């Protein structure tokens, strides 16, 4: 199956449609396009030695869904990366359950499941997001969300009223959420055009609705014409819907 029509490379949506109809070559092209970024994600989420198997299983699961008439109709990249995350988590749980030992005392004991903490990939993103914030935001987040102090307890240190501290931490938490989303774009390692490179840092602001209407329109015009950036945008929308609470995120910085 040619991946170009009249000299134009077929987009993901067209390839997905062909793959759903049984075209193996179309799905092979999707695999070629997104295997590198999927591997990078799998290596960060789980054991590097299992990255190839994790990615192969994720792509196989998506193909199975397509052949059953399910799965994505667009935004293939975001969909398959989500599958990589799920498969990495499944393998992580399996490693915790299967621990060969000759110590009978460890058999049939409860298996800890993350202790409520962030995994390594997410913790790295949170640390980078936290480090990118203005120093005053980092300070107030640390006092309130890590040390557990109250606004009136740090007002003198920040030379603000208690209400001023509350307003500051509100802005800082919103800033941390946006910076966290921006780190997902920075970490995906996708090769893009100069135009995309200039726009992609604004995707997190678009998702968080912190850009003006004129800028929103400009970005959406680009997204309609760029499947790669659209996939990143849809992935950020998904991440934003389940974004970690700032208090837990900042605590993850210390972990």
């Amino acid at each position: 199956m040619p991946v170009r029509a009249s000299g134009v490379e077929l987009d993901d949506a067209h390839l997905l449609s062909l793959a759903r109809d049984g075209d193996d070559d179309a799905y092979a092209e999707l695999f070629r396009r997104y295997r590198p970024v999927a591997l990078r994600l799998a290596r960060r989420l789980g054991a590097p030695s299992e990255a190839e198997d994790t990615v192969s299983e994720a792509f196989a699961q998506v193909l199975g869904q397509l052949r059953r008439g399910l799965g994505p109709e667009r935004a293939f990249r975001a969909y398959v990366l989500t599958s990589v995350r799920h498969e990495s988590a499944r393998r992580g749980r399996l490693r915790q359950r299967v621990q060969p030992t000759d110590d009978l005392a460890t058999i049939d004991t409860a298996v800890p499941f993350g202790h409520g903490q962030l995994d390594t990939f997410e913790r790295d993103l949170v640390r980078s997001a936290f480090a990118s914030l203005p120093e005053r935001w980092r300070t107030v987040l640390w006092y309130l969300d890590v040390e557990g102090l109250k606004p009136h307890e740090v007002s003198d240190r920040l030379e603000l009223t208690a209400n001023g501290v509350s307003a500051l931490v509100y802005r800082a938490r919103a800033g941390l959420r946006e910076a966290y989303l921006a780190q997902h774009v920075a970490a995906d390692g996708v090769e893009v055009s100069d135009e995309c490179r200039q726009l992609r840092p604004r995707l997190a602001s678009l998702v968080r609705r912190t850009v003006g209407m004129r800028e929103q329109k400009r970005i959406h015009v680009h997204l309609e014409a760029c499947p790669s950036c659209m996939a990143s945008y849809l992935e950020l929308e998904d991440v934003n819907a389940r974004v970690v609470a700032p208090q837990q995120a900042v605590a993850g910085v210390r972990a």
Side-chain angles (χ1 to χ4, degrees):
M1 190 278 303
V3 297
R4 293 177 178 272
S6 301
V8 178
E9 189 173 46
L10 299 182
D11 60 22
D12 290 358
H14 195 164
L15 291 172
L16 277 169
S17 177
L18 292 171
R20 184 175 280 106
D21 291 337
D23 194 319
D24 291 334
D25 289 337
Y27 197 73
E29 172 61 14
L30 289 168
F31 181 80
R32 183 194 66 79
R33 290 181 185 180
Y34 296 110
R35 176 178 174 275
V37 66
L39 275 175
R40 284 192 289 269
L41 178 60
R43 287 172 182 142
R44 297 193 67 175
L45 291 178
S49 61
E50 293 186 355
E52 291 280 0
D53 290 342
T54 298
V55 169
S56 295
E57 180 62 26
F59 273 92
Q61 290 172 2
V62 176
L63 178 59
Q65 292 175 352
L66 291 174
R67 294 295 163 81
R68 294 193 300 274
L70 305 173
E73 294 183 0
R74 58 173 184 161
F76 176 79
R77 175 181 175 278
Y79 198 95
V80 78
L81 291 183
T82 298
S83 296
V84 169
R85 289 191 176 96
H86 290 169
E87 178 63 15
S88 295
R90 185 191 70 80
R91 289 172 178 266
R93 291 192 295 271
L94 183 62
R95 284 195 300 273
Q96 289 181 320
R97 291 199 299 267
V98 181
Q99 298 179 357
T101 179
D102 57 3
D103 182 0
L104 297 181
T106 65
I107 298 178
D108 293 331
T109 57
V111 177
F113 182 60
H115 306 290
Q117 298 185 15
L118 305 175
D119 61 33
T120 301
F121 176 71
E122 296 294 339
R123 189 163 57 245
D124 287 347
L125 293 186
V126 170
R127 284 174 173 162
S128 297
F130 184 77
S132 72
L133 298 178
E135 182 178 359
R136 196 163 176 82
W137 285 8
R138 296 199 306 268
T139 300
V140 72
L141 286 171
W142 193 267
Y143 282 148
L144 271 64
D145 292 340
V146 176
E147 297 187 8
L149 301 178
K150 303 299 183 183
H152 70 271
E153 295 177 304
V154 301
S155 58
D156 289 342
R157 305 184 197 184
L158 297 176
E159 299 181 347
L160 293 170
T161 64
N163 286 340
V165 173
S166 296
L168 179 63
V169 77
Y170 178 84
R171 294 195 301 272
R173 287 169 178 166
L176 179 59
R177 286 189 176 96
E178 185 169 320
Y180 172 74
L181 294 178
Q183 289 301 317
H184 276 78
V185 177
D188 64 17
V190 175
E191 296 183 6
V192 294
S193 67
D194 290 340
E195 181 182 2
C196 295
R197 194 173 296 111
Q198 293 175 7
L199 180 139
R200 285 167 69 83
R202 305 292 291 162
L203 292 180
S205 301
L206 180 65
V207 171
R208 297 295 300 171
R209 307 297 188 265
T210 58
V211 294
M213 290 301 299
R214 179 178 297 180
E215 181 71 358
Q216 287 186 37
K217 291 179 180 178
R218 185 180 74 86
I219 296 173
H220 277 296
V221 168
H222 175 84
L223 293 179
E224 290 298 325
C226 180
S228 177
C229 288
M230 176 62 84
S232 295
Y233 169 69
L234 294 173
E235 182 180 4
L236 288 189
E237 287 279 17
D238 177 65
V239 173
N240 184 57
R242 53 184 172 79
V243 68
V244 66
Q247 294 89 334
Q248 181 186 356
V250 179
V253 173
R254 182 175 59 179

